[in-house]
Amino acid sequence: MFERLLLVTALALLAPGGAHAEDAARRAAATKSSPQKVVLAGTGYKVDLAAPPLPARSPAEQHALMKAIVDWLAHEFGLPANHDYPTIQLTSAARITTFRFTGRLSDRHGGAQTIYLPAGWTGRTAAELSVLVHETVHHLQHLAGTRFECTQASETLAYAAQEKWLALFGRSLESEFEIDPFTRLVSTRCMQ
């Protein structure tokens, strides 16, 4: 079922509430020293973190970013470059939490071609865009009909793509989401 979202843990960490002062200072320093513009290999597309928030951009600009992400994933990870893009919908944390525990955002079915991101998501940071990259991997896996031994196994490639995306900006899953290699390993293994 594609109607899913990146680990809610990662989304919650986009705006960590309980971070220590030194963690906040470390993140602020990393932001200042990290590149703000990156050209995606295999696409020629320039990601500019200083651009307007993604929801405020024109449909053509949003389309260009999705095309670049799909083409980059195809170039870097061999995923099929399917340009049947998902709808991106911003929703409340409560609905995302409901989805996490039930697998559904509402009593209605549908939305199989939708990526749900938290209200307030702007796509103006490498971390926020990495969440979109992660979920786009799942979208492409869904369109390709890729099957996995368990749901967790589908996270392996999504985390690898997210990590590589963050590295383009001098960041990592650990620095941005506090997802260390051990947590990532456990999160991608079938435990049955």
Side-chain angles (χ1 to χ4, degrees), residues 135-167:
E135 290 307 314
T136 301
V137 169
H138 292 309
H139 175 71
L140 294 174
Q141 290 170 331
H142 172 75
L143 292 178
T146 308
R147 301 283 179 223
F148 298 94
E149 181 181 344
C150 64
T151 302
Q152 295 87 344
S154 71
E155 296 295 333
T156 302
L157 184 59
Y159 275 129
Q162 189 175 10
E163 181 73 22
K164 190 162 192 166
W165 178 274
L166 287 166

Side-chain angles (χ1 to χ4, degrees), residues 121-189:
W121 183 92
T122 64
R124 291 199 66 199
T125 68
E128 284 189 349
L129 285 173
S130 80
V131 174
L132 180 58
V133 168
H134 181 112
E135 290 307 314
T136 301
V137 169
H138 292 309
H139 175 71
L140 294 174
Q141 290 170 331
H142 172 75
L143 292 178
T146 308
R147 301 283 179 223
F148 298 94
E149 181 181 344
C150 64
T151 302
Q152 295 87 344
S154 71
E155 296 295 333
T156 302
L157 184 59
Y159 275 129
Q162 189 175 10
E163 181 73 22
K164 190 162 192 166
W165 178 274
L166 287 166
L168 294 171
F169 295 92
R171 298 176 174 101
S172 69
L173 283 169
E174 190 165 11
S175 69
E176 297 303 307
F177 299 104
E178 298 176 5
I179 299 175
D180 60 67
F182 179 75
T183 301
R184 185 171 154 190
L185 177 67
V186 170
S187 299
T188 60
R189 298 291 178 231

Side-chain angles (χ1 to χ4, degrees), residues 21-32:
E22 60 215 35
D23 289 339
R26 177 182 43 80
R27 285 191 181 128
T31 300
K32 289 178 184 174

